[in-house]
Amino acid sequence: MPQGLKGKLRQAVEAVVRGERTRISATISLVLCDDETIRDLNARYLGHDYPTDVLSFNLSGAEQHERESGELVGEIIISVETAERNAKRFRQTLERELLRLAIHGVLHLLGYDDATPSQRRRMREKERKYLRLVEATK
């Protein structure tokens, strides 16, 4: 992974954590993988036997624990292969799609959901907000 992209991904994760939960410290790992790996994880942990673009795992336990301890521990898994297909479909760069997926993953870790149309709109708005913030930073 190019060093510049690694730094941008880190910036994206940090921007969301700071912007959404300023009192919580976070340790979040970000894994870039292939479709086969994410399909296996999706099947094993969520019962969905197909590749997806991003998975988020909150490893610190219940949201109540986060409020009491002030710490979030999570893992975000992104399929680069699916991100490449998404980037072509949405007519944007792979870097921008990876940043969007990282932001999306952090939002899930922080309790946001996208199961309903209104929840999806809210997450998309937040994704755009943090993408603009990261892209404006050099």
Side-chain angles (χ1 to χ4, degrees), residues 45-68:
Y45 294 105
L46 300 176
H48 305 296
D49 193 13
Y50 52 83
T52 189
D53 49 9
V54 61
L55 293 171
S56 298
F57 297 100
N58 187 329
L59 305 176
S60 57
E63 197 172 304
Q64 179 66 32
H65 168 78
E66 291 168 28
R67 283 194 297 269
E68 292 171 2

Side-chain angles (χ1 to χ4, degrees), residues 14-33:
E14 289 174 349
V16 177
V17 171
R18 275 194 315 272
E20 297 296 317
R21 298 266 183 108
T22 56
R23 293 185 316 239
I24 289 180
S25 66
T27 302
I28 298 172
S29 67
L30 179 64
V31 177
L32 301 179
C33 67

Side-chain angles (χ1 to χ4, degrees), residues 116-129:
T116 68
S118 65
Q119 290 173 330
R120 276 191 293 281
R121 276 191 302 276
R122 185 172 184 210
M123 280 191 78
R124 296 297 175 257
E125 289 169 9
K126 289 190 174 287
E127 287 171 11
R128 285 190 293 272
K129 170 187 170 182

Side-chain angles (χ1 to χ4, degrees), residues 61-78:
E63 197 172 304
Q64 179 66 32
H65 168 78
E66 291 168 28
R67 283 194 297 269
E68 292 171 2
S69 71
E71 181 177 18
L72 168 68
V73 179
E75 185 165 65
I76 299 168
I77 316 290
I78 298 174

Side-chain angles (χ1 to χ4, degrees), residues 66 85 96 125 132 137:
E66 291 168 28
R85 287 191 301 277
R96 191 166 205 271
E125 289 169 9
R132 283 191 303 269
T137 308

